[in-house]
Amino acid sequence: MQMKKYIRPVLAFVLLLATITTCPQKAAADVVSDGEGIIIYLDAGHDASHGGSYKKGLHEEVLNLKIAKYCKEKLEEYEGVTVYMSREDSKCPHPGTISVDDNIGRVEDAVAKNATLYVALHNNSCPSSSAKGATVYYPNTSYNKRVSDTGKEAAAEILNQLVKLGLRDRGLSIRNSEDGTKYPDNSKADYYNIIKTAKINNLPAIIVEHAFMTNSSDVNSFLDSDEKLKKLGEADAKGIVAYYGLKKKKTTRPNLKKVVQVEQDTVKITWSALEGADYYIVMRRELLTPAKGKKDAVYSEWEKVKKTKKDYFNDHDFSSGTTYYYTVKAHMAETDSFSKKHPAGFSVTTK
């Protein structure tokens, strides 16, 4: 997100005030320790219609969406958490709108879903290529201090996790209106449209600026691969987890993360380690007849291809041009039994 984003005319704020009568009201969330009722709304900033920064061959709206998806995936490993996203793809969630109205619509969607916390995910840019690091914007103390307190504390936890990755700590920030815009109680309004609209609806909203797309070091260290973007998304999630004191779900089976042919002779399978498991069995079956019409696909019998204590396996013994379906069973040492027989798996067609 560029440093000068969301500059709004006074008329736009009049439209914002009009939403007060139509948006459902909710109480700002207290911190809870058991994860009950936590609803996190992740807003991947910008979209294909309202593009963000474009630097060094990278599109901000693309980076933001990937970070949001990784954050969502991590959060859903915890108990009592519901995660919504403003968008799941590149399309604008409110087609035909200008950026201001699109952002208002995103906040209204979060309010309608009774969100506990609104987290807008962005990346920064600056005319100076020396600017680098992460910052998180939170609501000022005007009008609804409780929202400000919640936002500040959640923002601090997220920033702490981002700094642990090696990002420069640019600190927590508030930004007040620069054109004299006021809240309904005549106090100084926040500058950013998202934070402002959310505060009027008693929803804590923060804006995470992960790194600078205009800084080569930030790009090379944090933004130029999916693996690096995943670390950012997971850091955001860890901050949210720390603030709300969330607990991990108790799983009864390993979950496959990826099945992919990484080389001509290698299919790699990875999964999440399961607490209490002393080893894993990798299972595979072959697609014999694809599904057609009302007829289901026909597979071969399951075969055991590997016993391992690791959380990944590289399969080399397969035929090219063949579709295989992989799954993993975990053996539980304490009960001397296996987890659910066939947890959800993935298929891959070999080259």
Side-chain angles (χ1 to χ4, degrees):
M1 179 169 93
Q2 295 181 3
M3 288 183 148
K4 291 295 182 182
K5 288 180 181 176
Y6 302 121
I7 297 177
R8 306 178 56 208
V10 174
L11 176 59
F13 187 61
V14 172
L15 293 175
L16 183 152
L17 293 178
T19 67
I20 300 174
T21 58
T22 59
C23 293
Q25 300 292 306
K26 66 180 291 297
D30 288 325
V31 179
V32 295
S33 60
D34 59 2
E36 289 297 325
I38 299 301
I39 300 175
I40 305 299
Y41 192 92
L42 300 178
D43 175 18
H46 306 288
D47 52 61
S49 299
H50 310 110
S53 299
Y54 173 67
K55 303 291 182 182
K56 302 182 184 299
L58 300 175
H59 291 264
E60 186 193 349
E61 63 272 18
V62 175
L63 304 183
N64 297 342
L65 181 59
K66 289 183 177 182
I67 291 170
K69 287 183 175 180
Y70 287 129
C71 182
K72 180 177 186 288
E73 181 181 357
K74 189 67 177 177
L75 284 173
E76 289 178 340
E77 295 178 5
Y78 291 81
E79 294 178 356
V81 183
T82 300
V83 184
Y84 293 107
M85 292 179 59
S86 62
R87 61 186 180 97
E88 300 276 358
D89 53 33
S90 64
K91 298 176 183 177
C92 173
H94 305 97
T97 59
I98 61 174
S99 181
V100 168
D101 292 335
D102 175 40
N103 285 322
I104 289 175
R106 296 184 192 206
V107 175
E108 288 177 339
D109 182 44
V111 172
K113 288 179 168 59
N114 292 315
T116 307
L117 180 68
Y118 187 108
V119 184
L121 303 173
H122 284 263
N123 282 282
N124 223 329
S125 67
C126 181
S128 171
S129 61
S130 64
K132 62 186 297 185
T135 189
V136 184
Y137 288 91
Y138 66 95
N140 69 20
T141 57
S142 296
Y143 185 57
N144 194 334
K145 187 176 182 299
R146 189 181 181 193
V147 163
S148 176
D149 291 343
T150 298
K152 182 178 182 179
E153 292 170 16
E157 295 289 357
I158 291 175
L159 183 60
N160 180 52
Q161 295 297 327
L162 292 174
V163 171
K164 285 182 179 180
L165 294 180
L167 279 155
R168 175 180 290 178
D169 185 351
R170 296 179 64 88
L172 302 178
S173 297
I174 61 172
R175 189 171 180 183
N176 293 317
S177 169
E178 297 170 0
D179 62 2
T181 303
K182 305 290 185 181
Y183 279 118
D185 66 351
N186 206 38
S187 61
K188 185 175 292 186
D190 285 277
Y191 173 85
Y192 289 111
N193 175 51
I194 285 171
I195 292 177
K196 191 184 308 180
T197 310
K199 183 188 280 188
I200 288 175
N201 287 279
N202 291 330
L203 171 62
I206 60 178
I207 300 174
V208 183
E209 296 283 5
H210 294 89
F212 277 80
M213 299 179 64
T214 44
N215 180 269
S216 296
S217 177
D218 271 6
V219 170
N220 296 336
S221 299
F222 304 104
L223 300 177
D224 64 357
S225 74
D226 284 2
E227 181 181 2
K228 295 169 186 176
L229 296 173
K230 182 177 181 181
K231 290 181 179 179
L232 294 177
E234 290 186 343
D236 295 332
K238 289 176 182 177
I240 295 169
V241 166
Y243 175 63
Y244 287 107
L246 305 181
K247 299 175 183 178
K248 271 215 167 184
K249 293 177 180 177
K250 294 180 180 179
T251 57
T252 58
R253 65 185 189 186
N255 294 311
L256 268 72
K257 296 180 179 178
K258 184 180 292 185
V259 176
V260 61
Q261 187 162 1
V262 293
E263 296 176 0
Q264 197 71 22
D265 64 345
T266 304
V267 171
K268 185 171 184 178
I269 303 103
T270 60
W271 57 89
S272 58
L274 182 61
E275 185 176 354
D278 54 341
Y279 66 85
Y280 303 91
I281 299 293
V282 180
M283 308 288 290
R284 183 184 75 184
R285 60 179 179 175
E286 180 182 338
L287 176 63
L288 302 177
T289 306
K292 187 176 182 181
K294 295 183 179 180
K295 294 184 178 180
D296 294 332
V298 178
Y299 290 91
S300 65
E301 294 294 321
W302 287 102
E303 62 173 322
K304 182 175 74 174
V305 294
K306 182 66 175 180
K307 175 182 175 180
T308 179
K309 293 185 178 181
K310 300 177 180 178
D311 58 2
Y312 68 90
F313 169 63
N314 292 322
D315 191 5
H316 303 289
D317 185 18
F318 55 83
S319 300
S320 61
T322 305
T323 299
Y324 294 96
Y325 189 88
Y326 292 87
T327 191
V328 177
K329 296 192 297 181
H331 184 268
M332 312 307 291
E334 184 176 353
T335 59
D336 191 25
S337 62
F338 284 98
S339 59
K340 188 175 180 180
K341 186 176 182 181
H342 296 312
F346 290 97
S347 62
V348 59
T349 301
T350 55
K351 301 174 182 177

